[in-house]
Amino acid sequence: MRYETILFDIDDTLLDFKAAEEQALSWLFQDMGVEPSLAVKNAYKEMNQGFWRDHEAGLLSRQDLLDNRFRLFFEQYERAVDGPKTEARYRQYLNQGHQLMENSLEVVQRLSQTEALYIVTNGISVTQHQRLEKSGLAPYFKKFFISEEMGVHKPMKEFFDQVFAEIPQINKDKTVIIGDSLTSDIKGGQVAGIDTIWMNPAQKTATIIEPTYQIRELTDLYQILEDF
């Protein structure tokens, strides 16, 4: 086998975050008296993605992001909301979303028989633990590395330093990270000095950040991982 250790991102890699987010936003917006239309959801997602890019770049703390994203968003609709309380309500809804990406359970079951699998995510601890347990994925991973628990996040080198320090007899030459985000997963893998696999179902074009491999679906991993 080419790799002995596989680091998996969660959202839009193993679990369908988009589906979980759609459901949670619909429920939250209805609670707040805002029509959960496509335009409203897209406006939130665009703002939220900008916040997360700032967080990855070290410009915005995770706590500031979570405390203020809904307060700032609902201000556009003349709704004054308590940021932390609204975040908590959204989190309750999001925790219920554990839809699997296609073939993800089958893939991790199979790979766990020959490789050591680990979770590496920038998500919120309670949310990611619940979603992994409810989805049935949890038993196939040796450890979850979650940014909230670690105090650092992808793509920071310090995040991966902690990961490597806690994996027994880690061989970076035989370690690979799989994720959907160029700026978080793929850049993080490059910073850490390991190979990268970009989950890219839409076949977007990578420009500045070039992954080692690209896949359209998780079953494509078999050819990459088993052809060596």
Side-chain angles (χ1 to χ4, degrees):
M1 300 298 291
R2 174 68 177 86
Y3 300 106
E4 298 173 348
T5 305
I6 304 178
L7 312 179
F8 272 98
D9 176 50
I10 298 178
D11 290 316
D12 292 326
T13 302
L14 294 175
L15 293 179
D16 190 340
F17 179 77
K18 292 182 177 67
E21 183 186 44
E22 284 288 324
Q23 175 180 279
L25 288 176
S26 290
W27 291 343
L28 180 68
F29 291 167
Q30 288 171 357
D31 287 349
M32 298 300 172
V34 174
E35 176 64 30
S37 66
L38 180 61
V40 170
K41 289 180 180 178
N42 286 343
Y44 164 78
K45 291 174 187 177
E46 183 176 353
M47 174 182 280
N48 186 51
Q49 288 165 4
F51 289 155
W52 280 106
R53 284 193 295 269
D54 286 347
H55 173 61
E56 289 173 5
L59 303 175
L60 180 66
S61 75
R62 183 191 61 83
Q63 197 60 53
D64 283 343
L65 187 161
L66 299 179
D67 285 348
N68 292 296
R69 61 177 174 178
F70 285 114
R71 178 183 64 80
L72 294 171
F73 178 73
F74 282 111
E75 280 182 359
Q76 302 175 77
Y77 299 91
E78 299 182 346
R79 299 288 197 282
V81 305
D82 182 295
K85 288 182 179 179
T86 307
E87 175 68 31
R89 180 177 295 185
Y90 170 70
R91 189 67 43 193
Q92 289 178 334
Y93 291 147
L94 189 64
N95 290 355
Q96 299 176 43
H98 53 273
Q99 298 91 331
L100 291 161
M101 296 292 283
E102 187 175 5
N103 298 313
S104 61
L105 188 57
E106 168 210 312
V107 168
V108 299
Q109 286 173 330
R110 178 169 166 178
L111 295 180
S112 68
Q113 297 174 22
T114 51
E115 280 87 36
L117 308 186
Y118 296 86
I119 289 292
V120 288
T121 177
N122 279 348
I124 309 305
S125 181
V126 64
T127 299
Q128 302 299 52
H129 278 287
Q130 288 187 22
R131 295 172 69 224
L132 286 166
E133 291 290 344
K134 291 178 179 177
S135 67
L137 290 168
Y140 301 100
F141 292 89
K142 292 186 176 297
K143 188 175 177 64
F144 305 156
F145 294 98
I146 303 176
S147 60
E148 183 180 35
E149 298 172 359
M150 299 167 67
V152 285
H153 57 270
K154 299 178 296 183
M156 295 172 65
K157 181 177 181 296
E158 293 81 359
F159 179 96
F160 291 93
D161 287 344
Q162 285 194 39
V163 171
F164 297 152
E166 295 188 38
I167 296 178
Q169 299 176 320
I170 183 76
N171 182 344
K172 290 171 64 175
D173 290 336
K174 293 188 176 183
T175 301
V176 66
I177 183 172
I178 301 166
D180 70 298
S181 171
L182 285 174
T183 57
S184 175
D185 304 308
I186 307 308
K187 182 178 179 181
Q190 292 175 349
V191 167
I194 61 175
D195 284 354
T196 60
I197 301 175
W198 184 28
M199 179 73 161
N200 183 23
Q203 293 189 290
K204 298 176 183 177
T205 301
T207 53
I208 298 174
I209 304 171
E210 285 282 352
T212 312
Y213 305 100
Q214 297 187 37
I215 58 174
R216 295 187 64 183
E217 55 188 45
L218 285 169
T219 49
D220 293 340
L221 288 173
Y222 297 145
Q223 183 172 358
I224 294 173
L225 299 176
E226 298 178 2
D227 272 1
F228 290 91

